[in-house]
Amino acid sequence: MADVKALDISVFRAPQSAQDNVTSLVFTKVHNLSAEGLAQPSYVQSEIVDTDGQAAQFIYDDRELSSTVETEYKDGTPARFNRAIHAVESITNVTGTDIATTATGYDSGASNAFADLTVGDFFWPTGHHDTGLNIAHHITAKADDNNVTVAVAPTSVEAAGGSITIYSRKNTSGKTRGYEAFQTRKLNTSLGDNTSHQTLLNGAINTFGITMDTGGIIKVSEASLYEKKVDGVAALAGQTDGVADSSASYSSRINVKGYFVDGVSELCRFKTMDIQIDNGYESDSASGCDSKVLAKGPITSTMTITSRMAADDSDKWESRNSDTSYTASFAVLIASNDGATEVIYAQDNSKITESKPVINGKFAEVSLVASGQRSVNQNTTITSYRNN
């Protein structure tokens, strides 16, 4: 008799257009390091004393409906991040011949290029003759919808006249959830199609993490909760499979292109960063009912960072940690393998909740935790920005 091997098990996800809607779901295979969907029952033991001295009966109590995935950062990861933060998207895409740089920032003439951007946001211009201007900029002050100051002064003052585009695809953290199905498939030769399908419905991402080490592949983790389990192991009626993400995994050394504090580069100062999101979901059960209801809590967001310790400012992070009024924007920029797409993950109102020196062999480092709090400028805690 043949046994099931690890290669005979795979997991898939499919977005649901609405709660309980399973019409024509399109599943996409998850390329994972490890993954599982659980529909594990739990039991309580009867308190009746067995006078023969034997163990009491176990009575069904509840069922855990959850999934976990450990994988690697790919082209599709920003979309998963946006789903995790329940993103609200707005796109700035303004082209004009009246857009110019100043000594401290940008003047978009009458184009109102910055109408939907605010202090703390990132944007990308394209079309400048000085290519050093065609990079991500961080807004530190906004006079009006046309005039902004950026964290790092433009490399040159370029007058209006050329066709310049100001672009930013901004996804702020929100609270309106989507729904998702999770399906585990494994070899079962007793079935007609040789495959069993164990399906969980009405899922929501509860936790999500992106981990950038000093080298190696950027790692991604997520955990979801679900409201229902489909009985049996048959495929859902009308379900199909879409095209899986076949992009190459991203490298911490190659694809991380920038670390920023208040828009100023910390590249080659910051060594590692671990971003963790927690939506605080809880599931609620009811007697006589095997399905659940999920409720979201306030989002929590942290960036745990390892930084080199500068000899001329060795107290930098401990001093900022001690200053109870200090807040800052912390961000990381990750570029695609072809360099065409840049994504920035940013907490624009972070409090340093922990900072401590660490001896790492022959090197002195600082371990710090930047904890996100609601932005003072817009309705978000953590935001992603994309240049296309």
Side-chain angles (χ1 to χ4, degrees):
M1 179 189 302
D3 294 323
V4 174
K5 310 298 192 300
L7 294 177
D8 298 323
I9 303 174
S10 53
V11 297
F12 294 74
R13 291 185 291 231
Q16 298 173 245
S17 60
Q19 188 178 33
D20 296 331
N21 190 337
V22 295
T23 304
S24 303
L25 294 186
V26 180
F27 283 90
T28 302
K29 187 175 183 179
V30 179
H31 297 293
N32 60 82
L33 307 177
S34 65
E36 63 179 351
L38 293 177
Q40 181 67 44
S42 59
Y43 299 88
V44 293
Q45 198 165 11
S46 172
E47 296 180 7
I48 295 176
V49 177
D50 188 302
T51 56
D52 292 326
Q54 305 306 315
Q57 287 183 316
F58 284 95
I59 309 299
Y60 172 64
D61 176 48
D62 205 347
R63 189 182 298 273
E64 177 188 0
L65 302 176
S66 64
S67 70
T68 58
V69 173
E70 301 286 336
T71 187
E72 297 172 349
Y73 195 108
K74 291 176 170 287
D75 287 349
T77 300
R80 294 301 300 173
F81 177 89
N82 290 340
R83 176 176 279 272
I85 67 170
H86 300 48
V88 178
E89 184 173 88
S90 65
I91 298 175
T92 293
N93 187 8
V94 178
T95 300
T97 57
D98 55 350
I99 300 174
T101 59
T102 68
T104 58
Y106 272 79
D107 179 351
S108 68
S111 292
N112 293 323
F114 305 101
D116 295 326
L117 297 174
T118 188
V119 173
D121 283 336
F122 287 84
F123 68 91
W124 287 261
T126 55
H128 284 297
H129 294 296
D130 178 359
T131 57
L133 297 170
N134 298 324
I135 61 171
H137 296 274
H138 177 73
I139 299 173
T140 57
K142 179 179 176 180
D144 52 46
D145 290 344
N146 286 302
N147 293 276
V148 296
T149 301
V150 295
V152 178
T155 53
S156 64
V157 175
E158 193 168 286
S163 179
I164 306 298
T165 297
I166 302 296
Y167 190 93
S168 183
R169 183 184 294 270
K170 176 170 67 171
N171 279 270
T172 54
S173 54
K175 66 177 183 179
T176 303
R177 61 172 285 203
Y179 296 89
E180 189 170 58
F182 188 93
Q183 190 171 83
T184 304
R185 302 180 192 174
K186 64 176 178 288
L187 177 67
N188 188 334
T189 56
S190 70
L191 301 174
D193 60 357
N194 291 330
T195 305
S196 78
H197 305 74
Q198 297 177 345
T199 308
L200 303 176
L201 299 176
N202 300 343
I205 299 175
N206 190 34
T207 63
F208 191 91
I210 302 174
T211 303
M212 293 144 280
D213 211 333
T214 56
I217 297 171
I218 302 174
K219 299 296 174 58
V220 176
S221 62
E222 61 178 270
S224 298
L225 297 176
Y226 300 84
E227 294 179 334
K228 288 186 175 181
K229 174 185 180 294
V230 176
D231 292 333
V233 293
L236 300 175
Q239 78 169 61
T240 57
D241 286 349
V243 178
D245 184 352
S246 61
S247 61
S249 298
Y250 286 25
S251 162
S252 293
R253 196 68 55 82
I254 296 173
N255 297 93
V256 175
K257 297 297 186 181
Y259 289 114
F260 305 94
V261 175
D262 286 334
V264 178
S265 177
E266 290 284 348
L267 192 64
C268 297
R269 303 305 310 165
F270 285 0
K271 297 180 60 179
T272 68
M273 178 181 283
D274 179 42
I275 303 171
Q276 292 294 326
I277 305 298
D278 191 331
N279 286 309
Y281 271 102
E282 292 183 0
S283 61
D284 186 57
S285 301
S287 58
C289 181
D290 211 26
S291 63
K292 299 177 181 296
V293 173
L294 298 180
K296 184 185 182 302
I299 192 172
T300 61
S301 171
T302 59
M303 294 179 171
T304 302
I305 299 158
T306 303
S307 175
R308 287 176 170 147
M309 187 183 294
D312 62 351
D313 196 5
S314 59
D315 296 317
K316 173 180 177 178
W317 294 112
E318 289 174 280
S319 296
R320 291 178 176 183
N321 178 223
S322 297
D323 181 358
T324 57
S325 66
Y326 178 80
T327 61
S329 166
F330 285 77
V332 58
L333 188 156
I334 301 176
S336 60
N337 288 309
D338 62 7
T341 298
E342 294 184 347
V343 178
I344 291 174
Y345 303 100
Q347 290 178 171
D348 80 337
N349 187 26
S350 302
K351 182 71 71 173
I352 298 178
T353 53
E354 182 179 319
S355 176
K356 59 183 179 182
V358 177
I359 301 301
N360 182 10
K362 296 180 180 179
F363 298 94
E365 301 171 348
V366 179
S367 173
L368 61 111
V369 177
S371 298
Q373 51 192 355
R374 182 191 177 110
S375 169
V376 298
N377 301 303
Q378 56 186 322
N379 184 24
T380 189
T381 299
I382 187 166
T383 306
S384 73
Y385 302 87
R386 181 169 163 158
N387 71 331
N388 55 31

